[in-house]
């Protein structure tokens, strides 16, 4: 089996008495969508924060492209090619959609020290930003202020900014939330193809999307991975049905 | 053209026409008043880069204003006394040449801002305000105790420094020089605001975690902005000292820091010409009300309060509306 692109080995994180991550081991392999599901408060976002560098684990390591990145910050991991989206949109609200996408290009090309050129001028950076917007369906909103976008459009922009990084792996925290039927379908199509550019660790509550997209699913409950397997295996897993799917309303 | 662009063009026209009119009408005092406004505006343009673009609420910008002022005072006082600053290991003499003084003022205040920024940017929010204030006070008390350069009494300079090709003793010529420097600083702000650096910096102010997630370091961006900001305010300090032909610890006082911040907020934080409007209103009020009552600053306080409460874009925002997004 090839070396995984991104992996967590025995990650543990406590908030006071609460074990938000309890000895989590999972990996993301080339070409796959690995979905992480679990009830609210299971520790999915906490896991993502540790994978991407926002939060240091109490124990365990994170490997990315064969490097131990446990002690690296978010920016260093991003420069290695790890792109994330946030569950709660982290976008520059006062900026336009194209400005947010361009920020991704500036980061990806390592050009934040340019002070003479125009950030939004026509050229390769702008093209890259516009292509990313087109892929998520925001091409007609380039000039809109993020503050004026709907919740769903902000989710799309989160993904677009990640696309501008042209990363080696994606980590996405609920990219479908609030998208509506048509938006969900479009995002599902996008992610379906995107896995061949870079694998995706996908945290998502939309079970239809997860079952349609995932190559593998891990189920997280109370900070523990209680099962990992294919869609069929997870659907059939008794513990999972009891602990999670059965609880679904 | 947006309303703000038109307003800015009118302001530039006013900056040229009004003092010129006063000069032709034989009112050099008005020209000097305008020079004061332009120099204070320059100090605020500096702060506006840190505060407006970077979101850095610095209550210590008087430190850079004062470093610039003392750079001028020290160099010019050595030139007028013919005593070199230093003889060993190499000779450094004083100078009365503005370009040299400006260069020293910019480098010294940039270094001060870099150091203070490196230490202050470990904190944020109220702590950042307090630590910048503390550094400002440190320099203030240092200047008070610095006897060779006048200590508490300050340092007078007998003749205004020179600029090649100009007679800086003529008020309108010195004004024109200061105006050109201000316009260059405004141009720099405008260019930066639209650049990749400005984009990343403005994003670092709004959502640092996003900036990190695209592989950039928000603290470094802010430090660069803070350094540039200090350098511009330092340059204005050198001009201010030349205007008054006097440097004193007052330039380093926290009241001075507050004044610079008031100019920015009054005009419109982050708005290109906010500092210009802020400084013009401030100097006009100071002149007209200052003669009537000692307590004119109370009225300034009332205006400031109204601006903060009802016009978030300052006076510029009141006239030109909300800031437009680039697209
Ligand atoms: N910084 C923090 N300090 C204290 N507790 C935290 C912190 N972050 C998360 N938690 C707690 O850790 C647990 C896991 O939170 P997390 O956000 O990872 O869950 P999640 O699986 O992403 O939930 P959701 O589906 O609602 O997004 C929750 O009980 C949460 O309250
Ligand atoms: Mg979550």
């Amino acid at each position: 089996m090839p070396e995984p692109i991104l992996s967590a080995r025995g990650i543990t994180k406590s908030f006071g008495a609460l074990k938000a991550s309890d000895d989590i081991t999972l990996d993301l392999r080339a070409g796959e969508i690995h979905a992480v599901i679990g009830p609210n408060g299971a520790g999915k976002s906490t896991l993502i924060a540790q994978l991407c560098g926002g939060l240091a684990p109490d124990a365990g390591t994170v490997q990315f492209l064969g490097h131990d990145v446990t002690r690296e910050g978010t920016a260093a991991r991003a420069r290695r090619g790890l792109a994330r989206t946030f569950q709660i949109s982290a976008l520059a609200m006062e900026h336009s959609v194209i400005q947010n996408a361009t920020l991704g290009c500036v980061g990806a090309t390592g050009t934040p020290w340019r002070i003479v050129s125009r950030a939004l001028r026509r050229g390769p950076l702008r093209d890259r930003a516009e292509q990313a917007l087109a892929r998520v369906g925001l091409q007609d909103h380039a000039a809109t202020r993020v503050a004026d976008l709907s919740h769903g459009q902000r989710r799309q922009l989160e993904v677009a900014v990640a696309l501008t990084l042209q990363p080696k792996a994606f980590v996405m925290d609920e990219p479908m939330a609030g998208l509506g039927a048509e938006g969900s379908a479009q995002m599902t199509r996008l992610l379906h193809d995107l896995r061949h550019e870079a694998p995706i660790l996908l945290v998502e509550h939309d079970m239809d999307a997860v079952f349609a997209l995932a190559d593998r699913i891990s189920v997280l409950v109370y900070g523990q991975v209680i099962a990992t397997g294919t869609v069929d295996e997870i659907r059939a897993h008794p513990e999972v049905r009891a602990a999670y799917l059965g609880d679904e309303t | 053209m947006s309303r703000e662009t038109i307003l800015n063009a009118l302001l530039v026209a006013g900056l040229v026409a009004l003092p010129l009119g006063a000069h032709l009408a034989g009112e050099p005092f008005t020209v000097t008043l305008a020079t004061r406004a332009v120099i204070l505006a320059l100090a605020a343009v500096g702060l506006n880069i840190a505060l407006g673009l970077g979101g850095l609420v610095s209550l210590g910008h008087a430190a850079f204003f004062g470093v610039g002022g003392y750079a001028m005072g020290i160099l010019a006082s050595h030139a007028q006394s013919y005593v070199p600053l230093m003889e060993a290991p190499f000779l450094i003499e004083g100078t009365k040449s503005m370009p040299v003084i400006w260069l020293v003022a910019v480098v010294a205040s940039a270094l001060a801002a870099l150091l203070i920024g490196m230490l202050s940017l470990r904190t944020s929010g109220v702590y950042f305000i307090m630590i910048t204030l503390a550094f400002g006070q440190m320099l203030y008390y240092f200047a008070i105790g610095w006897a060779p350069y006048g200590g508490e009494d300050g340092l007078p300079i007998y003749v205004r420094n020179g600029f090649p090709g100009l007679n800086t003793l003529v008020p309108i010529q010195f004004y024109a020089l200061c105006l050109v420097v201000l316009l260059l600083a405004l141009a720099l702000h405008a260019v930066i605001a639209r650049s990749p650096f400005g984009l990343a910096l403005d994003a670092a102010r709004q959502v640092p975690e996003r900036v990190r997630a695209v592989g950039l370091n928000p603290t470094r961006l802010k430090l660069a902005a803070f350094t540039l900001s200090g350098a511009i305010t330092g340059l204005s300090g050198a001009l201010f000292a030349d205007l008054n032909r006097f440097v004193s610890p007052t330039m380093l006082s926290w009241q001075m820091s507050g004044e610079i911040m008031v100019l920015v907020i009054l005009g419109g934080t982050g708005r290109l010409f906010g500092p210009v409007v802020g400084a013009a209103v401030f100097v006009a009020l100071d002149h007209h009300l200052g003669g009537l009552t000692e307590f004119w600053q109370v009225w300034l306080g009332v205006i400031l309060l109204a601006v903060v409460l009802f016009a978030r874009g300052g006076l510029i925002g009141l006239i030109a509306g909300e800031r437009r997004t680039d697209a």
Side-chain angles (χ1 to χ4, degrees), chain A residues 44-45 87 173-174:
Chain A
K44 305 181 294 294
S45 297
Q87 179 176 6
D173 202 347
E174 302 198 20

Side-chain angles (χ1 to χ4, degrees), chain B residues 225-313:
Chain B
F226 194 75
T227 305
L228 179 64
S229 164
I232 293 173
T233 301
L235 178 57
S236 79
L239 289 171
F240 191 76
D242 237 324
L243 173 68
N244 301 323
R245 275 167 269 174
F246 181 63
V247 198
S248 77
T250 317
M251 280 184 76
L252 292 154
S253 66
W254 67 267
Q255 290 92 334
M256 190 67 230
S257 292
E259 209 170 294
I260 300 173
M261 188 174 299
V262 164
L263 303 183
V264 173
I265 296 172
L266 189 63
T269 311
R271 308 301 281 259
L272 182 59
F273 273 71
V276 174
V277 172
V281 169
F282 183 87
V283 169
L285 284 178
D286 184 17
H287 177 59
H288 292 293
L289 298 179
L292 299 178
T293 159
E294 294 234 343
F295 298 112
W296 74 272
Q297 298 233 358
V298 173
W299 293 106
L300 179 70
V302 171
I303 294 178
L304 194 66
L305 208 62
V307 162
V308 170
L309 290 177
F310 303 113
R312 283 193 56 217

Side-chain angles (χ1 to χ4, degrees), chain B residues 50-236:
Chain B
L51 180 62
L53 288 178
L56 300 170
V57 186
S58 163
L59 203 48
H61 257 51
F64 315 126
F65 195 61
V67 165
Y70 272 91
M72 176 292 210
I74 291 167
L75 288 170
S77 72
H78 281 277
Q80 73 189 8
S81 67
Y82 300 103
V83 178
L85 268 93
M86 192 166 97
E87 283 175 280
F90 40 82
L91 181 73
I92 301 181
E93 300 201 69
T95 174
K96 298 283 290 176
S97 157
M98 280 192 196
V100 178
I101 289 169
W102 293 355
L103 185 69
V104 173
V106 163
V107 171
S109 48
L111 277 176
L114 181 66
L115 281 173
I116 293 177
M118 278 190 330
L119 297 166
S120 308
L121 279 165
R122 294 158 176 265
T123 65
S124 59
V126 158
Y127 298 100
F128 182 83
I129 301 177
M130 285 305 161
I131 196 164
T132 51
L133 175 68
F135 278 117
Q137 289 302 90
M138 239 168 71
L139 289 188
Y140 172 71
Y141 286 112
F142 176 78
I144 284 189
W146 207 13
Y149 295 108
E152 201 169 359
D153 298 332
L155 189 60
I157 302 300
Y158 303 124
V159 181
R160 186 169 289 156
N161 297 301
F163 192 91
L166 290 180
N167 181 356
T168 54
L169 299 177
V170 178
I172 192 71
Q173 294 202 24
F174 184 54
Y175 173 80
L177 186 61
C178 294
L179 179 60
V180 168
V181 175
L182 172 66
L183 293 177
L184 287 175
L186 286 168
L188 181 66
H189 181 158
V191 166
I192 284 178
R194 306 170 84 184
S195 70
F197 172 67
L199 179 73
L201 177 64
D202 205 17
R205 170 179 65 81
Q206 299 174 52
V207 267
E209 67 269 38
R210 159 59 59 202
V211 173
R212 278 190 283 272
V214 301
L216 301 175
N217 181 336
T219 309
R220 267 209 230 156
L221 292 163
K222 288 177 183 174
L223 182 60
F226 194 75
T227 305
L228 179 64
S229 164
I232 293 173
T233 301
L235 178 57
S236 79

Side-chain angles (χ1 to χ4, degrees), chain A residues 97-165:
Chain A
V97 167
I98 188 74
Q99 279 180 304
N100 274 272
T102 303
L103 177 68
C105 300
V106 170
T109 54
T111 52
W113 302 112
R114 293 199 181 157
I115 63 164
V116 183
S117 63
R118 268 201 71 188
L120 299 182
R121 75 178 188 285
R122 302 263 145 223
L125 281 200
R126 173 102 189 197
D127 293 344
R128 185 164 165 173
E130 282 177 350
Q131 277 161 16
L133 293 182
R135 286 184 80 180
V136 300
L138 282 177
Q139 63 279 5
D140 298 331
H141 298 278
T144 310
R145 259 167 71 108
V146 174
D148 299 329
L149 289 182
S150 71
H151 178 70
Q153 288 169 326
R154 289 181 198 171
R155 309 273 67 219
Q156 292 171 317
L157 182 53
E158 279 279 334
V159 174
V161 177
L163 288 175
T164 63
L165 301 182

Side-chain angles (χ1 to χ4, degrees), chain A residues 8-216:
Chain A
R9 311 256 167 88
I11 277 192
T12 299
K13 181 80 196 175
S14 301
F15 297 118
L18 177 79
K19 259 196 173 168
S21 300
D22 189 355
D23 196 17
I24 296 175
T25 293
L26 55 75
D27 59 25
L28 179 66
R29 300 180 199 139
E32 75 167 348
I33 292 182
H34 185 160
V36 175
I37 62 172
N40 290 114
K44 305 181 294 294
S45 297
T46 304
L47 169 64
I48 286 186
Q50 293 170 92
L51 288 173
C52 297
L55 203 59
D58 298 337
T61 63
V62 178
Q63 322 273 326
F64 182 51
L65 301 171
H67 301 275
D68 184 336
V69 296
T70 318
R71 276 169 220 306
E72 287 183 4
T74 308
R77 294 186 207 190
R79 284 194 293 272
R80 286 189 188 276
L82 186 58
R84 68 166 298 184
T85 73
F86 293 84
Q87 179 176 6
I88 299 166
S89 294
L91 299 162
M93 288 290 163
E94 298 170 25
H95 282 173
S96 63
V97 167
I98 188 74
Q99 279 180 304
N100 274 272
T102 303
L103 177 68
C105 300
V106 170
T109 54
T111 52
W113 302 112
R114 293 199 181 157
I115 63 164
V116 183
S117 63
R118 268 201 71 188
L120 299 182
R121 75 178 188 285
R122 302 263 145 223
L125 281 200
R126 173 102 189 197
D127 293 344
R128 185 164 165 173
E130 282 177 350
Q131 277 161 16
L133 293 182
R135 286 184 80 180
V136 300
L138 282 177
Q139 63 279 5
D140 298 331
H141 298 278
T144 310
R145 259 167 71 108
V146 174
D148 299 329
L149 289 182
S150 71
H151 178 70
Q153 288 169 326
R154 289 181 198 171
R155 309 273 67 219
Q156 292 171 317
L157 182 53
E158 279 279 334
V159 174
V161 177
L163 288 175
T164 63
L165 301 182
Q166 300 178 353
K168 308 251 169 45
F170 291 97
V171 175
M172 299 191 183
D173 202 347
E174 302 198 20
M176 315 266 188
L179 275 192
E182 196 198 329
S184 275
Q186 186 185 12
M187 188 63 79
T188 303
R189 279 197 300 278
L190 170 62
L191 299 191
H192 183 272
D193 298 337
L194 191 60
R195 86 182 87 186
H196 303 299
E197 291 167 38
I200 306 168
L201 190 98
L202 177 68
V203 167
E204 187 50 62
H205 275 300
D206 180 339
M207 283 307 137
D208 294 337
V210 167
F211 288 142
L213 282 170
D215 299 293
R216 289 190 299 153

